[in-house]
């Protein structure tokens, strides 16, 4: 039981607990805040797996940008109160049981797998650092990189076009 | 120093995936459904990094897949939130039950 194990168990429990809180809390603002906790735990997992750059990107992009966008929209729509109505209890139970059954099957399948090279080092090596990543990204992965820039441009244009106010004010605007 | 078995980390990501799946099926609020999708994407990211780290520690493919998934998730969240804002403008609600006429 060294420090890596302690950190691993702590981060796992934190991630699972906060993910459960995301989907069970009635207030959307609380959901967003718990989701940020989940992202920090996942970033901790990335650091344990020696992918430091990915951990930083995860915090900056997810917890920094996307979650601020979510919070902004929730505040804009005045949803920061518990508006979620009570749902069909049977539907909830059916969803929980079906999901847990599939989880059980997958865990059983995982348990029997024998994977070679399991003893890979967790906490050493420098391959996840930014220098190696940058060299690889701009040589081997330069085409997907450029394609993703086109994707961002089209997503930006699409978001502006869709989110723009409709020119006809009689279409039921508030 | 003994290592964390790969199955433990895979169990965490599987559990996160199904928590996200449950949220996607049971919540009716579009913002919360979008958050569940983000949870699912993150569990997939963990899988990519873990398999890269444990099976091919000298390669970087899984990390690049994860970076591209994060980029695509950002674009997806922006477009989805634009759609949700447009829907809210027309319906004064973001409950999926109130958007039923989009089916026909």
């Amino acid at each position: 039981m060294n420090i890596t194990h302690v950190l691993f168990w702590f981060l796992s429990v934190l991630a699972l607990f906060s993910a459960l809180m995301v989907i069970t809390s009635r207030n959307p603002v609380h959901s967003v805040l718990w989701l940020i906790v989940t992202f920090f735990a996942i970033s901790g997992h990335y650091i344990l797996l020696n992918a430091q750059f990915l951990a930083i990107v995860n915090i900056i992009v997810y917890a920094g940008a996307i979650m601020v966008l979510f919070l902004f929209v929730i505040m804009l729509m005045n949803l920061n109160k518990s508006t979620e109505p009570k749902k069909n209890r049977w539907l909830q139970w059916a969803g929980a049981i079906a999901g847990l059954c599939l989880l059980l099957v997958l865990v059983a399948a995982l348990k029997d797998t024998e994977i070679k090279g399991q003893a890979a080092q967790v906490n050493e090596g420098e391959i996840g650092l930014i220098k190696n990543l940058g060299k690889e990204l701009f040589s081997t992965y330069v085409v997907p990189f450029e394609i993703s820039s086109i994707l961002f441009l089209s997503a930006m244009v699409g978001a502006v076009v869709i989110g723009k106010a409709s020119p006809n004010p009689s279409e039921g605007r508030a | 120093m003994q290592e964390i078995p790969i199955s433990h980390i895979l169990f965490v990501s599987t559990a996160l995936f199904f928590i996200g799946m449950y949220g996607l099926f049971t919540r009716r609020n579009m913002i919360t459904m979008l958050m569940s999708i983000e949870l699912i994407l993150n569990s997939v990211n963990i899988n990519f990094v873990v398999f890269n780290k444990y099976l091919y520690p000298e390669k970087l493919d899984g990390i690049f897949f994860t970076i591209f998934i994060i980029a695509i998730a950002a674009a997806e969240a922006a477009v989805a939130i634009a759609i949700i804002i447009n829907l809210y403008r027309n319906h004064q609600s973001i409950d999926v039950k109130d958007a039923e006429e989009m089916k026909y």
Side-chain angles (χ1 to χ4, degrees):
Chain A
M1 204 65 171
N2 52 20
I3 186 74
T4 310
H5 282 73
V6 174
L7 277 175
F8 172 76
W9 287 109
F10 172 70
L11 288 172
S12 303
V13 170
L14 182 65
L16 292 182
F17 173 73
S18 51
L20 277 175
M21 290 305 289
V22 169
I23 63 164
T24 52
S25 58
R26 303 251 154 232
N27 192 333
V29 176
H30 293 173
S31 282
V32 170
L33 295 179
W34 280 112
L35 195 56
I36 291 174
V37 176
T38 312
F39 287 150
F40 272 95
I42 290 173
S43 290
H45 274 301
Y46 288 157
I47 289 176
L48 279 187
L49 287 165
N50 202 17
Q52 291 90 348
F53 176 67
L54 209 53
I56 301 299
V57 164
N58 198 42
I59 288 178
I60 291 173
V61 175
Y62 265 121
I66 297 181
M67 288 303 115
V68 168
L69 195 65
F70 275 49
L71 268 184
F72 175 72
V73 170
I74 288 171
M75 299 289 182
L76 186 74
M77 294 179 181
N78 245 337
L79 292 173
N80 46 356
K81 51 190 177 295
S82 306
T83 50
E84 186 86 6
K86 290 301 271 185
K87 291 179 298 289
N88 190 352
R89 209 149 254 297
W90 288 107
L91 193 69
Q92 272 183 325
W93 278 108
I97 290 173
L100 285 179
C101 282
L102 196 46
L103 176 68
L104 207 67
V105 169
L106 278 184
V107 168
L110 270 180
K111 208 166 144 20
D112 282 341
T113 48
E114 189 68 36
I115 297 171
K116 69 178 172 69
Q118 258 194 12
Q121 67 276 22
V122 167
N123 229 354
E124 42 200 81
E126 304 198 322
I127 200 147
L129 293 184
I130 194 165
K131 187 180 170 193
N132 302 314
L133 280 174
K135 275 181 184 164
E136 190 80 4
L137 180 62
F138 289 109
S139 58
T140 314
Y141 289 92
V142 67
V143 177
F145 181 75
E146 297 294 338
I147 290 176
S148 72
S149 75
I150 296 173
L151 172 83
F152 269 116
L153 183 65
S154 58
M156 199 167 69
V157 173
V160 170
V161 168
I162 291 172
K164 192 176 64 169
S166 65
N168 188 357
S170 68
E171 278 183 4
R173 291 194 50 191
Chain B
M1 150 177 155
Q2 85 266 37
E3 292 303 333
I4 302 158
I6 187 169
S7 54
H8 290 188
I9 310 179
L10 291 182
F11 174 75
V12 172
S13 82
T14 313
L16 275 181
F17 184 88
F18 284 109
I19 289 170
M21 202 66 128
Y22 177 79
L24 188 63
F25 283 149
T26 54
R27 301 306 294 266
R28 288 285 166 264
N29 186 339
M30 279 192 195
I31 298 271
T32 322
M33 290 171 76
L34 205 57
M35 283 191 257
S36 305
I37 293 176
E38 304 289 340
L39 266 182
I40 293 174
L41 286 172
N42 263 285
S43 76
V44 174
N45 286 349
I46 292 178
N47 257 12
F48 270 118
V49 176
V50 167
F51 280 125
N52 184 21
K53 181 66 196 166
Y54 276 78
L55 299 187
Y56 301 101
E58 72 282 356
K59 289 187 176 178
L60 284 171
D61 297 308
I63 290 177
F64 281 112
F65 256 92
T66 307
I67 288 175
F68 287 124
I69 287 174
I70 288 175
I72 289 171
E76 169 247 336
V79 175
I81 281 178
I83 292 174
I84 290 172
I85 287 177
N86 212 350
L87 208 63
Y88 181 74
R89 200 179 279 145
N90 289 328
H91 293 268
Q92 271 71 47
S93 143
I94 56 165
D95 197 298
V96 283
K97 283 257 169 58
D98 293 334
E100 270 180 337
E101 82 271 8
M102 282 168 73
K103 282 197 287 192
Y104 309 116

